[in-house]
Amino acid sequence: MATEDTNIQKIENMGNIELTDIVSEMENAYIDYSMSVIIDRALPDVRDGLKPVHRRILYAMHELGLRPEAKFRKSATIVGDVLGKYHPHGDTAVYDSLVRMAQDFSLRYTLVNGQGNFGSMDGDSAAAMRYTEAKMAKITREMLVDIDKNTVNFVPNYDGSRNEPTVLPARVPNLLINGGTGIAVGMATNIPPHNLKEVVGATIALIENPEITIEELLKFVKGPDFPTGGELYNIDNIRQVYATGRGPLVTRAKAEIIERGKKGNAFDIIVSEMTYQTNKATLIEKMANLVRDKKLDGIKDIRDESDRDGVRVVIELKSDAYPQKVLNKLYKLTDLQKTYHVNMLALCDGIEPKTLSLKQALQYYITHRKEVVIRKTEFELQQAKDRAHILEGLKKALDFIDEVISIIRGSESKEIAKVNLIKRFEFSQVQAQAILDMRLQTLAGLERQKILDELAELVLLIQELEAILASEERIFAIIKNDLQEVSDQYGDERKTRVFKEDLGDFKETDFIPNEDTIIILTKDGYIKRVDPKEYRSQRRGGVGVSGVKTRDDDAVSIFLHTNTHAKLLFFTNNGRVLKLKAYEIPQGSRIAKGQSIVNFLELSKQEQIQSILPTEDSPNSFISIVTKLGIIKKSAMSVYANVRKGGIIAINLKDNDTLIQATVTCPDDDIILFTTQGKAIRFAQEELRPMGRTAAGVKAMTLKSDDTVLAMQTIRSGDEQGWLVIATSYGYGKKSKLSHYKVQKRGGSGVKVSKITTKTGPVIGAQVVTSESKELIAISLGGNIIKLNIQKDIPTLSRDTQGVKIMRLSQDDSIASIAVTTEDEPEEETE
């Protein structure tokens, strides 16, 4: 201790040395360093959305005259100018910032127009600054507009040799439209980019209604709009982010499953839009590593076919792969799906970092623009007053021009002449100087009139500018007009699609109207949804209209009339069941081919959909399943309540048997089965006891060796006065009374429903209809569709008849399926 005191005494004796506590000194120094990083480097200003380095680059380009219409200049020139005048840091940092402002995959609205190699989404670096060239982008002009009219504050640069702006006038809300990222000391910012039109709309709405809520602002700003496009999910998360200024947003790349080859047994996943800030080359490498490490099955090849026109990553799948399952794994394991963590932290008032809600960010921007407009108006007002003051002096001098000339000629010097003019006419110093500088040509009559006209215009301008400054309403009107002009000139449509719901079922569920729809599925697995109004009524015997465009070797297999809100169960020939909602099937025109069903369901190569069943949430309902060999089973609706995305077993099938159809039945229903050879059996549902989902079922009908079950229908309680409509493959049809089909015991051979001949072909469809049933829709293998009035166009005949011609078919065509609607439309002539 004595030694330490002696050392301190020696230091004090050295003179001019002040002792301080090292802990306190380190704390103060660290705080100073932190604030320097926060204010001078890492965080954008809420007013113009720029960090100091970006602001200095744009201002240096402005001083160099690199406007949008100017010629390009070497990037090295710009970087050198920024370093020498405003930003005494490393040239790499400045050039990297310049490069980012020129990348259309980094900024939603680029601020620099670059020429040369400015990098790519694959992580490629830009060429050296001596090779690339740059100038301002067109929208950048709006960032700097009126900067020479005292609209913003200027401060000395680092060496005091010149001044630089502390903020730009920013006629565009750059913080929100381009976003920004930055890591400071103890804090970070991550602001996503947005669509200009939407942000302008929200800003104008806030000006008009300062009490507007976040919910109301969301009517304008749908969500972030990334330059790379992609998809954004969950409106609740978006609402939370905009209300609090922080939170996660789930984004996805745009990926589609596309058929590969003519046979339709293989598929590709095509990625055409990436998630924001994703390195495409690294993503592809990650996919390849997952395949190599056996963590991802079903992928045959991965190719990057991207070019200057856009992104295209092709993921070629094996023929036995489940396309949707592979895509879901890619979403889970790679950056095809990623979470963007928003933290809207920005500098407010130039010095204070704050986390801002959407409304607060807009309010700060409006306040900034209000100040800019006021300062610009004051500047123009002062200029107008100064000029008017000079013109008033010139006017007075011209009124007494002879005396003015005499005073000037009689003065010994210019300075004495100025004094004499001020003394005689009470001119100001500025006016007297202007008179002395006046040219003789001003004495001409027209020149004199020009002075008078200009003075009159300035008087009106001064009145107008003073009126603007006196009215906050007019100031806001100017702000709104400026914003609208910017939006009209530079605004564009959204690139990122926003889906309101979470990714629980990976489906788009925007507000879908509950309306009638027709679902068509072909044998090769192409499915679409069609508005029933596209098929008009015709008289029997017509050829129909084209209902679906199929390939030569394809044909329609299922034709279902339902509504868009229906929950659909898809039963396959292998005895599995999968689920989908009707509105999740894309709607197309009546002649459209549709999309492959593997885009929506995980099917194996050998699986085919045999039955599509609209279900209802009724605890008393059952689902009955029948097989080709006449086996039937019913299970409670509840056992299908939790169908997994990959499907579940619906029935255990015996060898050589396949699932034919499933239908919803109620306790009092009768069941009627039909065979291709024109036989039918009707029995009470109570003969079937409920079974478990994986049960094998019981015998429903005894079949001949050459016969198979075609379809199953239910006869509701009270439908006894209805009819049974039968259609055969060669276009014959009829209806017969249900009372002709007596209830039998399950397991019998049934009764004849139609006379089958070589002219009629086998039975292809049967429907139970009532007085409420209006129209029968028949579709052929070739894709033609006809709508017939059930009561007028289809005759009532006995069971053992062949029926009449209901559809005229070409030689190589036949009816594929039939459906019944309850809509009533005006009848039209045969087409």
Side-chain angles (χ1 to χ4, degrees), residues 615-634:
T615 63
E616 299 176 358
D617 297 327
S618 173
N620 297 323
S621 296
F622 298 93
I623 289 182
S624 296
I625 298 173
V626 68
T627 72
K628 177 179 71 174
L629 300 182
I631 302 299
I632 193 168
K633 182 192 82 166
K634 80 172 182 182

Side-chain angles (χ1 to χ4, degrees), residues 9 16 69 103 105 156 163 201 203 263 303 318 387 456 471 505 512 520 572 619 630 704 760 814:
Q9 186 64 43
N16 298 325
E69 62 276 7
Q103 293 175 335
F105 53 87
N163 292 327
T203 308
K263 295 183 179 180
R303 300 187 302 275
K318 297 177 181 177
R387 179 59 179 165
S471 171
D505 55 3
I512 306 295
I520 297 175
T572 74
K704 292 183 179 180
T760 64
S814 60

Side-chain angles (χ1 to χ4, degrees), residues 43 94 403 709:
L43 298 186
V94 176
E403 188 176 354
V709 173

